[in-house]
Amino acid sequence: MRPSFLYPFFASPSSLRGVGEKSAALLEKLGIEKTVDLLWHLPYAVHVRHRATSVRSLKNGEINTIKIRVVEHISPKSNRHPYQVLCKDKEENELTLVFFKAYPDFIRKNLPEGSERLISGKTELFNGCWQMSHPDYIVMPENDRQIPDIEPVYGLTAGISNKFICRLIGHALAAMQPLPEWLEPNHQKALNLPSFAEALQQVHHPRGSCDLLPTSAARMRLAYDELLANQLSLALVRKKVKKQAGRQIAGNGLLRQTILEQLPFSLTDAQAKVLSEIYRDQASESRMLRLLQGDVGSGKTIVALLTMLNAVECGAQAAIMAPTEILAKQHFDTIAPLLEKIGLNAALLTGRLKGKARTKLLEELKDGKINILIGTHALFVEDVAFADLACVVIDEQHRFGVHQRLNLSDKGNRADILVMTATPIPRTLILTAFGDMEYSKIDQLPAGRKPVDTRVMPLGKIDDIIPAVKRKTEKDERIYWVCPLVEESEKIDIAAAEKRFEILQKTFGDQVGLVHGKMKEKEKELVMERFKSGEIKLLVATTVIEVGVNVPEATVMIIEHAERFGLAQLHQLRGRVKRGNKPASCILLYGYPLGETSRARLNIMRDTEDGFLIAEEDLKLRGGGEILGTRQSGVEQFLLAEMPEHQNLLITANKDAQMIVATDPDLLGPRGQALRTLLYLFERNHAVKTYLAG
Ligand code: ADP
Ligand code: MG
């Protein structure tokens, strides 16, 4: 149960003074649904209010606070004219207040003629006369402390003013209860961090723009807290998995040997290295939970197969899960014939399999007649039961969360888990998403892969590339044509792809095909088959072209509006044309205007094919949250921590979390109790409930 002193943090903002239903709805637009969301809503700028002693010392175009005397109200000649209030300072210099769409009663009440007021707002020199339109503040001179000299500036939405947010955050800060300190005191001192409460006060009361920097002590403190909550909950998951005794899987190697002899190639050193790491895990007493990272085309499938065969050699079953039906089918097509040769059985289970065929498959699975099951998430619905599942491989599934991963393995008898991904995730980000896992990397491609000739050119050049594409199709090579990504709506993506399809049909007739995300699996598969067989030579697609799809004849990848894609995504797309042995090329078409960062990013694509280098460079240019494209990544989006600025904090938090779990695994000691508060505060309730005793 969440401790009661945290209730105010999780109350609706409408529990705060001045928030009605209407503003609560507007706040929701800003992602603010609970009071704690307000506290996490950090200012991105500051307004400095210059205190002017007289009109002569006003700063043109800046925000000034000044004491004035109201001289005269000038009603507008018509509705189109503003309401004006003529004022003077103590030296009789004039300053006119200007109100458009004014409420005269309100103005007269707040600025009676002859009275003195302190006002604050942006002042401008207009035809030699000083003006201030719509002052932000109008107060009695004795209330001058109501006007701040420095004001934080927050992200807003229509109907929510900065002043309103400032006031709410003030209320939220005041409603906060003191919390126990969860940082280890020496550690806190060494990092020079304020307390959590002090940090919150400081971030919301910046004294200047340097207080907005991610490296300010207060921001570091909050970032550390968030990262520690993330790392601690992952460490708790990992501890649970480790505690569950695994099985010692160490086959005699015969099946694996036979398969290796069948392959037209030998393993790369990198494949051999990660396999030895995997075999070691499988043989150990604790369960395997390992992430295998390998660039596109590095040969992860064979590693997965050998891992599964190790389990089969021990008389158990294995399963491999792919994110889509197309990919599952592709794995099946690779694996099934190989298994057949050594007298083993593979089966394919997707959501499409129904009725008797499905029943039969499930029976064979239960009887142990199926050695390796290949499928989509349909593998893990309730009635799928194995005779003895010892090994689960999840391909391209970084989209899964930590807990889903664990649920999958519950099908098995303490099954080992291998998660494979081609997404080049920088090392530090791996900690945040996969901090619960061991990690292997295939850091080498099979020999003989030729580089892809990558060009960056403006969209206007489309007409020039058509003849080149035509020549390729005449040589029976295949071309992918990927259409722009429009974040907000898949419908627009599809419309763009359809339009391009129609245009290309004029040149390529029925040699051009189209796939997009709204098509049925079966239709998609049909188009892909026709592309593979060469019936279609040019494939227009939205980004749905499946990650990892294998068409060795594909040699050209054309991407429209490449600047709208994440680099990881571009890298994945390009990876698809280097599966064969013909020279491949990739054309990145960009639209105008192309910003400096976008140009730099496309140039990285042109200059290197190293997925990890690309990811690191992208991280430098754009920051961590975006690297995988938010839509598909399982990598956490942080609210307070920023990458790469807080990378070092992440590494420290990782060590801290490991130390905590080693010394107080159920968080029962005094610091442990405080850390439970931290987990609740960052909404890791699940971790507290599931992984902690007491
Ligand atoms: P990915 O890591 O992208 O899933 P795949 O497992 O699909 O890569 O392998 C890509 C291609 O490389 C396949 O055609 C596969 O047969 C081939 N391959 C895998 N390992 C090797 C190797 N050691 N030497 C040569 N080719 C290999
Ligand atoms: Mg693959």
PDB file of all heavy atoms in Angstrom, residues 88-115:
ATOM      1  N   LYS A  88       1.904  58.282 -15.222  1.00  0.00           N
ATOM      2  CA  LYS A  88       3.162  59.036 -15.145  1.00  0.00           C
ATOM      3  C   LYS A  88       4.003  58.500 -14.000  1.00  0.00           C
ATOM      4  O   LYS A  88       3.458  58.006 -12.998  1.00  0.00           O
ATOM      5  CB  LYS A  88       2.869  60.528 -14.912  1.00  0.00           C
ATOM      6  CG  LYS A  88       2.361  61.215 -16.159  1.00  0.00           C
ATOM      7  CD  LYS A  88       2.214  62.709 -15.947  1.00  0.00           C
ATOM      8  CE  LYS A  88       1.823  63.380 -17.271  1.00  0.00           C
ATOM      9  NZ  LYS A  88       1.449  64.795 -17.059  1.00  0.00           N
ATOM     10  N   ASP A  89       5.329  58.589 -14.174  1.00  0.00           N
ATOM     11  CA  ASP A  89       6.197  58.208 -13.054  1.00  0.00           C
ATOM     12  C   ASP A  89       6.431  59.432 -12.182  1.00  0.00           C
ATOM     13  O   ASP A  89       5.863  60.503 -12.439  1.00  0.00           O
ATOM     14  CB  ASP A  89       7.504  57.592 -13.569  1.00  0.00           C
ATOM     15  CG  ASP A  89       8.399  58.620 -14.252  1.00  0.00           C
ATOM     16  OD1 ASP A  89       7.995  59.803 -14.350  1.00  0.00           O
ATOM     17  OD2 ASP A  89       9.489  58.238 -14.695  1.00  0.00           O
ATOM     18  N   LYS A  90       7.298  59.307 -11.182  1.00  0.00           N
ATOM     19  CA  LYS A  90       7.482  60.420 -10.243  1.00  0.00           C
ATOM     20  C   LYS A  90       8.138  61.625 -10.897  1.00  0.00           C
ATOM     21  O   LYS A  90       8.070  62.735 -10.402  1.00  0.00           O
ATOM     22  CB  LYS A  90       8.287  59.961  -9.025  1.00  0.00           C
ATOM     23  CG  LYS A  90       9.642  59.359  -9.376  1.00  0.00           C
ATOM     24  CD  LYS A  90      10.381  58.946  -8.103  1.00  0.00           C
ATOM     25  CE  LYS A  90      11.825  58.597  -8.406  1.00  0.00           C
ATOM     26  NZ  LYS A  90      12.136  57.240  -8.640  1.00  0.00           N
ATOM     27  N   GLU A  91       8.787  61.403 -12.072  1.00  0.00           N
ATOM     28  CA  GLU A  91       9.411  62.522 -12.788  1.00  0.00           C
ATOM     29  C   GLU A  91       8.484  63.096 -13.868  1.00  0.00           C
ATOM     30  O   GLU A  91       8.922  63.824 -14.752  1.00  0.00           O
ATOM     31  CB  GLU A  91      10.717  62.046 -13.451  1.00  0.00           C
ATOM     32  CG  GLU A  91      11.761  61.608 -12.441  1.00  0.00           C
ATOM     33  CD  GLU A  91      12.917  60.851 -13.089  1.00  0.00           C
ATOM     34  OE1 GLU A  91      12.854  60.590 -14.320  1.00  0.00           O
ATOM     35  OE2 GLU A  91      13.862  60.511 -12.374  1.00  0.00           O
ATOM     36  N   GLU A  92       7.224  62.683 -13.823  1.00  0.00           N
ATOM     37  CA  GLU A  92       6.210  63.161 -14.777  1.00  0.00           C
ATOM     38  C   GLU A  92       6.444  62.665 -16.198  1.00  0.00           C
ATOM     39  O   GLU A  92       5.918  63.222 -17.164  1.00  0.00           O
ATOM     40  CB  GLU A  92       6.113  64.715 -14.782  1.00  0.00           C
ATOM     41  CG  GLU A  92       5.708  65.302 -13.437  1.00  0.00           C
ATOM     42  CD  GLU A  92       4.276  64.958 -13.043  1.00  0.00           C
ATOM     43  OE1 GLU A  92       3.362  65.139 -13.878  1.00  0.00           O
ATOM     44  OE2 GLU A  92       4.082  64.466 -11.904  1.00  0.00           O
ATOM     45  N   ASN A  93       7.251  61.605 -16.365  1.00  0.00           N
ATOM     46  CA  ASN A  93       7.376  60.987 -17.692  1.00  0.00           C
ATOM     47  C   ASN A  93       6.194  60.065 -17.918  1.00  0.00           C
ATOM     48  O   ASN A  93       5.740  59.392 -17.001  1.00  0.00           O
ATOM     49  CB  ASN A  93       8.666  60.178 -17.781  1.00  0.00           C
ATOM     50  CG  ASN A  93       9.881  61.063 -17.645  1.00  0.00           C
ATOM     51  OD1 ASN A  93       9.977  62.107 -18.295  1.00  0.00           O
ATOM     52  ND2 ASN A  93      10.789  60.660 -16.769  1.00  0.00           N
ATOM     53  N   GLU A  94       5.745  60.016 -19.173  1.00  0.00           N
ATOM     54  CA  GLU A  94       4.518  59.277 -19.456  1.00  0.00           C
ATOM     55  C   GLU A  94       4.759  57.823 -19.838  1.00  0.00           C
ATOM     56  O   GLU A  94       5.748  57.483 -20.479  1.00  0.00           O
ATOM     57  CB  GLU A  94       3.746  59.960 -20.590  1.00  0.00           C
ATOM     58  CG  GLU A  94       3.167  61.288 -20.159  1.00  0.00           C
ATOM     59  CD  GLU A  94       2.336  61.942 -21.251  1.00  0.00           C
ATOM     60  OE1 GLU A  94       2.255  61.364 -22.358  1.00  0.00           O
ATOM     61  OE2 GLU A  94       1.771  63.028 -20.984  1.00  0.00           O
ATOM     62  N   LEU A  95       3.799  56.991 -19.447  1.00  0.00           N
ATOM     63  CA  LEU A  95       3.768  55.589 -19.853  1.00  0.00           C
ATOM     64  C   LEU A  95       2.304  55.239 -20.052  1.00  0.00           C
ATOM     65  O   LEU A  95       1.483  55.501 -19.171  1.00  0.00           O
ATOM     66  CB  LEU A  95       4.382  54.705 -18.757  1.00  0.00           C
ATOM     67  CG  LEU A  95       4.189  53.191 -18.892  1.00  0.00           C
ATOM     68  CD1 LEU A  95       4.969  52.642 -20.085  1.00  0.00           C
ATOM     69  CD2 LEU A  95       4.647  52.476 -17.620  1.00  0.00           C
ATOM     70  N   THR A  96       1.968  54.699 -21.226  1.00  0.00           N
ATOM     71  CA  THR A  96       0.570  54.383 -21.501  1.00  0.00           C
ATOM     72  C   THR A  96       0.328  52.887 -21.399  1.00  0.00           C
ATOM     73  O   THR A  96       1.081  52.098 -21.978  1.00  0.00           O
ATOM     74  CB  THR A  96       0.176  54.857 -22.917  1.00  0.00           C
ATOM     75  OG1 THR A  96       0.521  56.237 -23.019  1.00  0.00           O
ATOM     76  CG2 THR A  96      -1.309  54.670 -23.165  1.00  0.00           C
ATOM     77  N   LEU A  97      -0.702  52.525 -20.640  1.00  0.00           N
ATOM     78  CA  LEU A  97      -1.096  51.114 -20.578  1.00  0.00           C
ATOM     79  C   LEU A  97      -2.140  50.872 -21.653  1.00  0.00           C
ATOM     80  O   LEU A  97      -3.052  51.675 -21.830  1.00  0.00           O
ATOM     81  CB  LEU A  97      -1.675  50.765 -19.211  1.00  0.00           C
ATOM     82  CG  LEU A  97      -0.804  51.142 -18.011  1.00  0.00           C
ATOM     83  CD1 LEU A  97      -1.443  50.641 -16.713  1.00  0.00           C
ATOM     84  CD2 LEU A  97       0.596  50.568 -18.167  1.00  0.00           C
ATOM     85  N   VAL A  98      -2.001  49.767 -22.371  1.00  0.00           N
ATOM     86  CA  VAL A  98      -2.873  49.501 -23.510  1.00  0.00           C
ATOM     87  C   VAL A  98      -3.590  48.174 -23.314  1.00  0.00           C
ATOM     88  O   VAL A  98      -2.960  47.162 -22.986  1.00  0.00           O
ATOM     89  CB  VAL A  98      -2.034  49.442 -24.813  1.00  0.00           C
ATOM     90  CG1 VAL A  98      -2.941  49.232 -26.012  1.00  0.00           C
ATOM     91  CG2 VAL A  98      -1.217  50.720 -24.976  1.00  0.00           C
ATOM     92  N   PHE A  99      -4.913  48.217 -23.471  1.00  0.00           N
ATOM     93  CA  PHE A  99      -5.715  46.995 -23.313  1.00  0.00           C
ATOM     94  C   PHE A  99      -6.566  46.763 -24.554  1.00  0.00           C
ATOM     95  O   PHE A  99      -7.405  47.587 -24.890  1.00  0.00           O
ATOM     96  CB  PHE A  99      -6.650  47.109 -22.106  1.00  0.00           C
ATOM     97  CG  PHE A  99      -5.928  47.300 -20.795  1.00  0.00           C
ATOM     98  CD1 PHE A  99      -5.561  48.576 -20.360  1.00  0.00           C
ATOM     99  CD2 PHE A  99      -5.627  46.206 -19.996  1.00  0.00           C
ATOM    100  CE1 PHE A  99      -4.897  48.754 -19.159  1.00  0.00           C
ATOM    101  CE2 PHE A  99      -4.965  46.382 -18.782  1.00  0.00           C
ATOM    102  CZ  PHE A  99      -4.593  47.657 -18.367  1.00  0.00           C
ATOM    103  N   PHE A 100      -6.334  45.649 -25.207  1.00  0.00           N
ATOM    104  CA  PHE A 100      -7.206  45.282 -26.322  1.00  0.00           C
ATOM    105  C   PHE A 100      -8.343  44.434 -25.776  1.00  0.00           C
ATOM    106  O   PHE A 100      -8.170  43.705 -24.809  1.00  0.00           O
ATOM    107  CB  PHE A 100      -6.414  44.490 -27.375  1.00  0.00           C
ATOM    108  CG  PHE A 100      -5.346  45.320 -28.024  1.00  0.00           C
ATOM    109  CD1 PHE A 100      -4.060  45.375 -27.480  1.00  0.00           C
ATOM    110  CD2 PHE A 100      -5.628  46.075 -29.160  1.00  0.00           C
ATOM    111  CE1 PHE A 100      -3.081  46.156 -28.070  1.00  0.00           C
ATOM    112  CE2 PHE A 100      -4.645  46.851 -29.748  1.00  0.00           C
ATOM    113  CZ  PHE A 100      -3.367  46.894 -29.200  1.00  0.00           C
ATOM    114  N   LYS A 101      -9.506  44.497 -26.411  1.00  0.00           N
ATOM    115  CA  LYS A 101     -10.672  43.741 -25.947  1.00  0.00           C
ATOM    116  C   LYS A 101     -10.805  43.871 -24.431  1.00  0.00           C
ATOM    117  O   LYS A 101     -10.808  42.888 -23.699  1.00  0.00           O
ATOM    118  CB  LYS A 101     -10.535  42.265 -26.319  1.00  0.00           C
ATOM    119  CG  LYS A 101     -10.577  42.033 -27.819  1.00  0.00           C
ATOM    120  CD  LYS A 101     -10.704  40.549 -28.115  1.00  0.00           C
ATOM    121  CE  LYS A 101     -10.680  40.335 -29.611  1.00  0.00           C
ATOM    122  NZ  LYS A 101     -10.159  39.052 -29.998  1.00  0.00           N
ATOM    123  N   ALA A 102     -10.862  45.106 -23.971  1.00  0.00           N
ATOM    124  CA  ALA A 102     -10.778  45.347 -22.538  1.00  0.00           C
ATOM    125  C   ALA A 102     -12.119  45.190 -21.836  1.00  0.00           C
ATOM    126  O   ALA A 102     -13.173  45.244 -22.455  1.00  0.00           O
ATOM    127  CB  ALA A 102     -10.264  46.760 -22.309  1.00  0.00           C
ATOM    128  N   TYR A 103     -12.051  44.933 -20.541  1.00  0.00           N
ATOM    129  CA  TYR A 103     -13.235  45.031 -19.681  1.00  0.00           C
ATOM    130  C   TYR A 103     -13.064  46.317 -18.891  1.00  0.00           C
ATOM    131  O   TYR A 103     -12.373  46.333 -17.874  1.00  0.00           O
ATOM    132  CB  TYR A 103     -13.313  43.841 -18.734  1.00  0.00           C
ATOM    133  CG  TYR A 103     -13.487  42.522 -19.449  1.00  0.00           C
ATOM    134  CD1 TYR A 103     -12.395  41.698 -19.693  1.00  0.00           C
ATOM    135  CD2 TYR A 103     -14.761  42.120 -19.871  1.00  0.00           C
ATOM    136  CE1 TYR A 103     -12.552  40.495 -20.348  1.00  0.00           C
ATOM    137  CE2 TYR A 103     -14.926  40.913 -20.536  1.00  0.00           C
ATOM    138  CZ  TYR A 103     -13.813  40.105 -20.770  1.00  0.00           C
ATOM    139  OH  TYR A 103     -13.981  38.924 -21.426  1.00  0.00           O
ATOM    140  N   PRO A 104     -13.691  47.424 -19.348  1.00  0.00           N
ATOM    141  CA  PRO A 104     -13.438  48.739 -18.733  1.00  0.00           C
ATOM    142  C   PRO A 104     -13.689  48.747 -17.232  1.00  0.00           C
ATOM    143  O   PRO A 104     -12.931  49.372 -16.488  1.00  0.00           O
ATOM    144  CB  PRO A 104     -14.418  49.653 -19.463  1.00  0.00           C
ATOM    145  CG  PRO A 104     -14.706  48.954 -20.754  1.00  0.00           C
ATOM    146  CD  PRO A 104     -14.605  47.497 -20.475  1.00  0.00           C
ATOM    147  N   ASP A 105     -14.724  48.020 -16.777  1.00  0.00           N
ATOM    148  CA  ASP A 105     -15.020  48.031 -15.339  1.00  0.00           C
ATOM    149  C   ASP A 105     -13.829  47.511 -14.548  1.00  0.00           C
ATOM    150  O   ASP A 105     -13.441  48.070 -13.530  1.00  0.00           O
ATOM    151  CB  ASP A 105     -16.242  47.143 -15.038  1.00  0.00           C
ATOM    152  CG  ASP A 105     -17.499  47.762 -15.622  1.00  0.00           C
ATOM    153  OD1 ASP A 105     -17.432  48.961 -15.994  1.00  0.00           O
ATOM    154  OD2 ASP A 105     -18.513  47.044 -15.711  1.00  0.00           O
ATOM    155  N   PHE A 106     -13.282  46.410 -15.061  1.00  0.00           N
ATOM    156  CA  PHE A 106     -12.155  45.779 -14.403  1.00  0.00           C
ATOM    157  C   PHE A 106     -10.970  46.741 -14.350  1.00  0.00           C
ATOM    158  O   PHE A 106     -10.315  46.915 -13.319  1.00  0.00           O
ATOM    159  CB  PHE A 106     -11.790  44.502 -15.171  1.00  0.00           C
ATOM    160  CG  PHE A 106     -10.538  43.840 -14.708  1.00  0.00           C
ATOM    161  CD1 PHE A 106     -10.576  42.957 -13.626  1.00  0.00           C
ATOM    162  CD2 PHE A 106      -9.319  44.093 -15.334  1.00  0.00           C
ATOM    163  CE1 PHE A 106      -9.413  42.346 -13.195  1.00  0.00           C
ATOM    164  CE2 PHE A 106      -8.157  43.480 -14.900  1.00  0.00           C
ATOM    165  CZ  PHE A 106      -8.207  42.604 -13.831  1.00  0.00           C
ATOM    166  N   ILE A 107     -10.747  47.438 -15.461  1.00  0.00           N
ATOM    167  CA  ILE A 107      -9.592  48.343 -15.517  1.00  0.00           C
ATOM    168  C   ILE A 107      -9.794  49.528 -14.580  1.00  0.00           C
ATOM    169  O   ILE A 107      -8.896  49.904 -13.827  1.00  0.00           O
ATOM    170  CB  ILE A 107      -9.365  48.830 -16.970  1.00  0.00           C
ATOM    171  CG1 ILE A 107      -9.067  47.615 -17.868  1.00  0.00           C
ATOM    172  CG2 ILE A 107      -8.225  49.818 -17.038  1.00  0.00           C
ATOM    173  CD1 ILE A 107      -9.062  47.939 -19.349  1.00  0.00           C
ATOM    174  N   ARG A 108     -11.010  50.074 -14.587  1.00  0.00           N
ATOM    175  CA  ARG A 108     -11.263  51.229 -13.717  1.00  0.00           C
ATOM    176  C   ARG A 108     -11.116  50.859 -12.258  1.00  0.00           C
ATOM    177  O   ARG A 108     -10.598  51.611 -11.455  1.00  0.00           O
ATOM    178  CB  ARG A 108     -12.656  51.798 -13.986  1.00  0.00           C
ATOM    179  CG  ARG A 108     -12.624  52.869 -15.069  1.00  0.00           C
ATOM    180  CD  ARG A 108     -13.965  53.553 -15.241  1.00  0.00           C
ATOM    181  NE  ARG A 108     -14.218  53.676 -16.664  1.00  0.00           N
ATOM    182  CZ  ARG A 108     -15.119  52.977 -17.341  1.00  0.00           C
ATOM    183  NH1 ARG A 108     -15.932  52.134 -16.691  1.00  0.00           N
ATOM    184  NH2 ARG A 108     -15.242  53.120 -18.627  1.00  0.00           N
ATOM    185  N   LYS A 109     -11.553  49.660 -11.933  1.00  0.00           N
ATOM    186  CA  LYS A 109     -11.496  49.218 -10.540  1.00  0.00           C
ATOM    187  C   LYS A 109     -10.038  49.044 -10.086  1.00  0.00           C
ATOM    188  O   LYS A 109      -9.682  49.384  -8.956  1.00  0.00           O
ATOM    189  CB  LYS A 109     -12.252  47.891 -10.405  1.00  0.00           C
ATOM    190  CG  LYS A 109     -12.361  47.404  -8.988  1.00  0.00           C
ATOM    191  CD  LYS A 109     -13.377  46.265  -8.865  1.00  0.00           C
ATOM    192  CE  LYS A 109     -13.047  45.421  -7.651  1.00  0.00           C
ATOM    193  NZ  LYS A 109     -12.480  44.140  -7.971  1.00  0.00           N
ATOM    194  N   ASN A 110      -9.222  48.510 -10.981  1.00  0.00           N
ATOM    195  CA  ASN A 110      -7.842  48.218 -10.592  1.00  0.00           C
ATOM    196  C   ASN A 110      -6.896  49.399 -10.756  1.00  0.00           C
ATOM    197  O   ASN A 110      -5.828  49.410 -10.161  1.00  0.00           O
ATOM    198  CB  ASN A 110      -7.300  47.029 -11.392  1.00  0.00           C
ATOM    199  CG  ASN A 110      -7.809  45.717 -10.844  1.00  0.00           C
ATOM    200  OD1 ASN A 110      -7.336  45.244  -9.821  1.00  0.00           O
ATOM    201  ND2 ASN A 110      -8.823  45.161 -11.496  1.00  0.00           N
ATOM    202  N   LEU A 111      -7.307  50.346 -11.581  1.00  0.00           N
ATOM    203  CA  LEU A 111      -6.434  51.486 -11.843  1.00  0.00           C
ATOM    204  C   LEU A 111      -7.220  52.794 -11.707  1.00  0.00           C
ATOM    205  O   LEU A 111      -7.371  53.549 -12.669  1.00  0.00           O
ATOM    206  CB  LEU A 111      -5.849  51.381 -13.262  1.00  0.00           C
ATOM    207  CG  LEU A 111      -4.884  50.230 -13.545  1.00  0.00           C
ATOM    208  CD1 LEU A 111      -4.729  50.002 -15.045  1.00  0.00           C
ATOM    209  CD2 LEU A 111      -3.514  50.509 -12.917  1.00  0.00           C
ATOM    210  N   PRO A 112      -7.715  53.077 -10.492  1.00  0.00           N
ATOM    211  CA  PRO A 112      -8.486  54.326 -10.353  1.00  0.00           C
ATOM    212  C   PRO A 112      -7.600  55.552 -10.609  1.00  0.00           C
ATOM    213  O   PRO A 112      -6.431  55.542 -10.243  1.00  0.00           O
ATOM    214  CB  PRO A 112      -8.967  54.281  -8.897  1.00  0.00           C
ATOM    215  CG  PRO A 112      -8.250  53.177  -8.224  1.00  0.00           C
ATOM    216  CD  PRO A 112      -7.601  52.324  -9.243  1.00  0.00           C
ATOM    217  N   GLU A 113      -8.200  56.564 -11.240  1.00  0.00           N
ATOM    218  CA  GLU A 113      -7.435  57.774 -11.552  1.00  0.00           C
ATOM    219  C   GLU A 113      -6.897  58.391 -10.272  1.00  0.00           C
ATOM    220  O   GLU A 113      -7.589  58.451  -9.260  1.00  0.00           O
ATOM    221  CB  GLU A 113      -8.321  58.778 -12.314  1.00  0.00           C
ATOM    222  CG  GLU A 113      -8.437  58.392 -13.775  1.00  0.00           C
ATOM    223  CD  GLU A 113      -9.441  59.239 -14.567  1.00  0.00           C
ATOM    224  OE1 GLU A 113      -9.873  60.285 -14.077  1.00  0.00           O
ATOM    225  OE2 GLU A 113      -9.774  58.819 -15.697  1.00  0.00           O
ATOM    226  N   GLY A 114      -5.629  58.821 -10.315  1.00  0.00           N
ATOM    227  CA  GLY A 114      -5.008  59.447  -9.163  1.00  0.00           C
ATOM    228  C   GLY A 114      -4.284  58.486  -8.246  1.00  0.00           C
ATOM    229  O   GLY A 114      -3.494  58.902  -7.398  1.00  0.00           O
ATOM    230  N   SER A 115      -4.519  57.174  -8.424  1.00  0.00           N
ATOM    231  CA  SER A 115      -3.898  56.208  -7.509  1.00  0.00           C
ATOM    232  C   SER A 115      -2.495  55.837  -7.965  1.00  0.00           C
ATOM    233  O   SER A 115      -2.137  56.021  -9.120  1.00  0.00           O
ATOM    234  CB  SER A 115      -4.752  54.945  -7.431  1.00  0.00           C
ATOM    235  OG  SER A 115      -4.720  54.291  -8.690  1.00  0.00           O
TER     236      SER A 115
END
